[in-house]
Amino acid sequence: MALCLLALWLLLALAAGPAMAGQPGPPPAQQTPPMENETLLRPVVLPGADRKPRLPSRPDAPTRLTLAEAINRALVANRNLANSQDNLESARLGIVVAESDFELKIYPQAGVSFNAANSDDGASTYALGFKLEKKISYGTRASVAPVVSLSGDTYKSGLDMRLTQPLFRGTSPEFNLSSLHGAQYYDRTARRSFYLNQVSTVVETVAGVYEVIRQRELLRLNEDAARRLNGFTQAAMAKEKAGLATPIDVFRASIQLKQAEDSLTNARESFQDAADNLKVLLALRQEESILLEAPLSYQSLRLAEDKAVELALERRVELEQASDAVSETQRLSRVAKHGTLPELNLSLGYQRFSTGDNINDSFLFDRDSRGLSLVTSSDLNRSAENANFQRSLLNVQAATRNREDRRDDVIRQVRRELRSLRRGQERIANQQEQIRQAEGQLELAQVKFQHGLTDNFTLLEAENRLRQAQTTLLSLVVDYIVGTYRLRAALGTLVERGGPPLPKEVENSAMVRP
């Protein structure tokens, strides 16, 4: 009987593994030097985090990426950013199109015509020349057109010079340069949009990387739990055979084991889904396997709320865009008001020409002609133009309200992210305490179970409570790390762009330099 009890005790010790033999304390966490005015939370070391990750087996070697490498790849290869880059080029070409209206234009001219009063009489005319035309910001359009023509047997050479000046509308450079100013505004908007896409890509990449890390660690925790529960089940079976346990103990342990195995299957699927989503973000082939390295340690950033709001109001590009939108709508309103003026154009023309029986005689330029005209084509009521001006005033009011909304939204985002981080710090500290209590409860339950002082219900309950606490802690740590990046995005300090100097609380924070 004593030999049976000794063999049973050895079987229990071997089946329970490290969990029943006692777990060593976690290794010391790697700490980073504290920043000025900053308080470090106790570094979190997840149980078993020093082990090599168990990744699904792949025939090819996985692509290893650190967090920084993943961010840099996303900034280079992300498809949404590539589309935004195309928008930048499109905006630049829009400026080229608008500027081309004020370039020196060269128009080749050639023509052939046939005129006849009846079918028996007619003359053909051939003409060849070119026209130089230039427009300036005051609306003045000047052109010079040398032309040589042949009509029947008569040659004609001439130099036609014209000057057209809008008298009312054309006197405003802002009105005449409106298309160019609009293209420049679109270019500025495209550049800010590209920067915001970079910021969102960095945040999505960090969230995607840490989601893979989270699922990988959850997979490891579930594997450890399934292994421990398998040991508990085997131990319960052995004790039942020795008459030291009841069938209900075996049944209870088997149920917990099946639940752990089901959780393990779900964890594998979630891990693969997270990895596939990250591959899309990084523009990697779905067939390619990846191995990520990202720290699960962090630093807490102590930043006063008023200082954080002030910093965000200085650096957020959305506020810059909103203010620029107000200026643009005000400019368009002035243009619309100027457009209510009647269209009256003054045209001056001067032509120097000569004719001859041969082409040499046609180059004497001994004759000239002059012309002056006033041309208008405006509606006297100006109903459409006045309505467009009133609509532009409404656009100014809407843009002004949108600027105020943007400002309030920025303040709200900063406060929300700060509250989230502070709440996360408190929950992490509370969860760490719960893990310590759960570990103590599990150790006590193991001792009682080994000495036959209790059934395995208390043991399984302690195991389940510890696994839940570890899972919750993992999620809290990942959310906090991602939250620090969201806070930097809310402050406008995540991606380097320039601006006022940063305060000491955040000047040493990691900024992405694309």
Side-chain angles (χ1 to χ4, degrees), residues 420-438:
S420 177
L421 289 181
R422 290 166 183 163
R423 185 170 60 252
Q425 293 176 14
E426 296 173 357
R427 295 187 64 190
I428 287 174
N430 180 56
Q431 204 64 35
Q432 289 173 335
E433 180 61 28
Q434 291 188 30
I435 287 180
R436 285 192 291 270
Q437 294 177 0

Side-chain angles (χ1 to χ4, degrees), residues 36-313:
E36 185 175 350
N37 298 329
E38 187 176 80
T39 301
L40 290 176
L41 290 178
R42 188 171 72 87
V44 175
V45 179
L46 298 172
D50 55 338
R51 303 179 190 173
K52 294 183 178 180
R54 297 185 179 94
L55 297 177
S57 59
R58 298 281 186 174
D60 55 334
T63 300
R64 295 180 177 271
L65 291 174
T66 63
L67 178 61
E69 290 171 344
I71 291 175
N72 290 333
R73 177 174 177 82
L75 291 175
V76 172
N78 183 264
R79 297 182 181 95
N80 290 333
L81 273 183
N83 294 335
S84 185
Q85 186 74 42
D86 292 341
N87 291 336
L88 278 179
E89 180 63 15
S90 176
R92 186 191 67 82
L93 294 176
I95 295 179
V96 173
V97 172
E99 289 177 340
S100 66
D101 195 30
F102 299 91
E103 293 177 349
L104 177 63
K105 299 182 181 296
I106 303 176
Y107 299 99
Q109 295 180 334
V112 178
S113 63
F114 178 79
N115 296 318
N118 51 61
S119 58
D120 298 330
D121 186 15
S124 299
T125 301
Y126 305 91
L128 183 65
F130 64 91
K131 182 173 72 170
L132 301 177
E133 187 177 78
K134 174 69 176 177
K135 180 182 178 181
I136 63 175
S137 60
Y138 285 94
T140 307
R141 191 183 297 271
S143 64
V144 177
V147 178
V148 177
S149 64
L150 172 62
S151 180
D153 297 331
T154 302
Y155 289 91
K156 180 181 179 181
S157 299
L159 185 64
D160 188 11
M161 293 174 285
R162 294 189 177 277
L163 184 69
T164 303
Q165 174 63 50
L167 297 181
F168 294 115
R169 292 187 179 183
T171 56
S172 170
E174 186 176 49
F175 180 84
N176 296 307
L177 296 173
S178 181
S179 60
L180 177 59
H181 292 162
Q184 292 171 343
Y185 169 74
Y186 180 75
D187 179 73
R188 295 193 301 271
T189 301
R191 293 181 182 278
R192 297 186 187 110
S193 178
F194 178 72
Y195 172 79
L196 291 176
N197 285 336
Q198 286 182 316
V199 173
S200 62
T201 299
V202 170
V203 174
E204 290 175 3
T205 302
V206 172
V209 168
Y210 274 101
E211 181 61 23
V212 175
I213 298 296
R214 184 210 306 261
Q215 296 301 332
R216 188 181 71 190
E217 292 301 312
L218 287 176
L219 176 60
R220 178 184 59 78
L221 290 176
N222 280 278
E223 286 177 342
D224 293 343
R227 186 172 58 255
R228 288 194 300 267
L229 288 170
N230 182 63
F232 295 158
T233 303
Q234 297 298 325
M237 291 179 178
K239 292 185 70 174
E240 183 189 17
K241 292 180 180 179
L244 300 177
T246 64
I248 192 63
D249 293 328
V250 178
F251 184 69
R252 187 186 298 119
S254 299
I255 291 177
Q256 291 288 336
L257 177 60
K258 293 300 181 183
Q259 292 178 350
E261 290 174 347
D262 184 63
S263 298
L264 181 59
T265 301
N266 294 333
R268 289 195 180 100
E269 294 179 358
S270 298
F271 171 74
Q272 191 59 55
D273 290 341
D276 291 343
N277 293 336
L278 182 62
K279 291 174 192 176
V280 173
L281 192 62
L282 301 182
L284 292 171
R285 293 181 298 107
Q286 288 294 309
E287 300 82 6
E288 188 174 355
S289 59
I290 56 176
L291 181 60
L292 299 173
E293 299 176 5
L296 281 174
S297 59
Y298 61 90
Q299 289 178 328
S300 62
L301 194 64
R302 292 187 58 188
L303 184 61
E305 185 175 291
D306 55 348
K307 185 174 293 186
V309 169
E310 180 183 357
L311 179 63
L313 294 178

Side-chain angles (χ1 to χ4, degrees), residues 203-483:
V203 174
E204 290 175 3
T205 302
V206 172
V209 168
Y210 274 101
E211 181 61 23
V212 175
I213 298 296
R214 184 210 306 261
Q215 296 301 332
R216 188 181 71 190
E217 292 301 312
L218 287 176
L219 176 60
R220 178 184 59 78
L221 290 176
N222 280 278
E223 286 177 342
D224 293 343
R227 186 172 58 255
R228 288 194 300 267
L229 288 170
N230 182 63
F232 295 158
T233 303
Q234 297 298 325
M237 291 179 178
K239 292 185 70 174
E240 183 189 17
K241 292 180 180 179
L244 300 177
T246 64
I248 192 63
D249 293 328
V250 178
F251 184 69
R252 187 186 298 119
S254 299
I255 291 177
Q256 291 288 336
L257 177 60
K258 293 300 181 183
Q259 292 178 350
E261 290 174 347
D262 184 63
S263 298
L264 181 59
T265 301
N266 294 333
R268 289 195 180 100
E269 294 179 358
S270 298
F271 171 74
Q272 191 59 55
D273 290 341
D276 291 343
N277 293 336
L278 182 62
K279 291 174 192 176
V280 173
L281 192 62
L282 301 182
L284 292 171
R285 293 181 298 107
Q286 288 294 309
E287 300 82 6
E288 188 174 355
S289 59
I290 56 176
L291 181 60
L292 299 173
E293 299 176 5
L296 281 174
S297 59
Y298 61 90
Q299 289 178 328
S300 62
L301 194 64
R302 292 187 58 188
L303 184 61
E305 185 175 291
D306 55 348
K307 185 174 293 186
V309 169
E310 180 183 357
L311 179 63
L313 294 178
E314 290 177 349
R315 300 184 67 90
R316 284 290 291 271
V317 70
E318 294 93 331
L319 298 180
E320 180 182 327
Q321 174 63 26
S323 297
D324 198 8
V326 172
S327 301
E328 177 67 9
T329 54
Q330 291 173 343
R331 181 191 68 81
L332 292 175
S333 180
R334 293 191 298 269
V335 170
K337 182 178 181 180
H338 194 77
T340 60
L341 297 175
E343 184 176 1
L344 180 63
N345 298 332
L346 172 65
S347 180
L348 301 176
Y350 179 78
Q351 186 180 36
R352 192 78 177 179
F353 66 95
S354 61
T355 60
D357 295 335
N358 56 67
I359 192 170
N360 293 329
D361 294 340
S362 67
F363 284 119
L364 297 177
F365 298 105
D366 53 357
R367 301 168 63 184
D368 60 6
S369 65
R370 302 171 179 83
L372 184 148
S373 61
L374 288 173
V375 180
T376 182
S377 58
S378 296
D379 176 23
L380 294 179
N381 292 327
R382 314 299 295 160
S383 300
E385 289 77 5
N386 289 325
N388 286 331
F389 173 59
Q390 295 299 324
R391 291 172 61 185
S392 69
L393 295 178
L394 296 177
N395 292 336
V396 172
Q397 296 176 7
T400 303
R401 289 192 297 268
N402 182 68
R403 180 177 60 184
E404 297 302 318
D405 289 342
R406 286 290 184 183
R407 183 181 182 277
D408 294 340
D409 189 57
V410 166
I411 297 175
R412 179 185 62 83
Q413 289 179 15
V414 172
R415 290 176 175 174
R416 181 188 62 196
E417 297 300 334
L418 283 174
R419 288 195 303 268
S420 177
L421 289 181
R422 290 166 183 163
R423 185 170 60 252
Q425 293 176 14
E426 296 173 357
R427 295 187 64 190
I428 287 174
N430 180 56
Q431 204 64 35
Q432 289 173 335
E433 180 61 28
Q434 291 188 30
I435 287 180
R436 285 192 291 270
Q437 294 177 0
E439 289 174 343
Q441 183 180 4
L442 178 61
E443 184 178 356
L444 179 60
Q446 289 171 352
V447 173
K448 288 184 176 181
F449 181 74
Q450 290 171 5
H451 291 81
L453 300 178
T454 183
D455 57 15
N456 65 352
F457 177 80
T458 305
L459 180 63
L460 295 175
E461 186 70 17
E463 161 65 26
N464 185 54
R465 185 176 294 108
L466 176 60
R467 184 171 70 252
Q468 290 179 352
Q470 290 174 339
T471 301
T472 303
L473 177 62
L474 172 63
S475 297
L476 289 175
V477 171
V478 169
D479 290 342
Y480 188 90
I481 294 174
V482 176

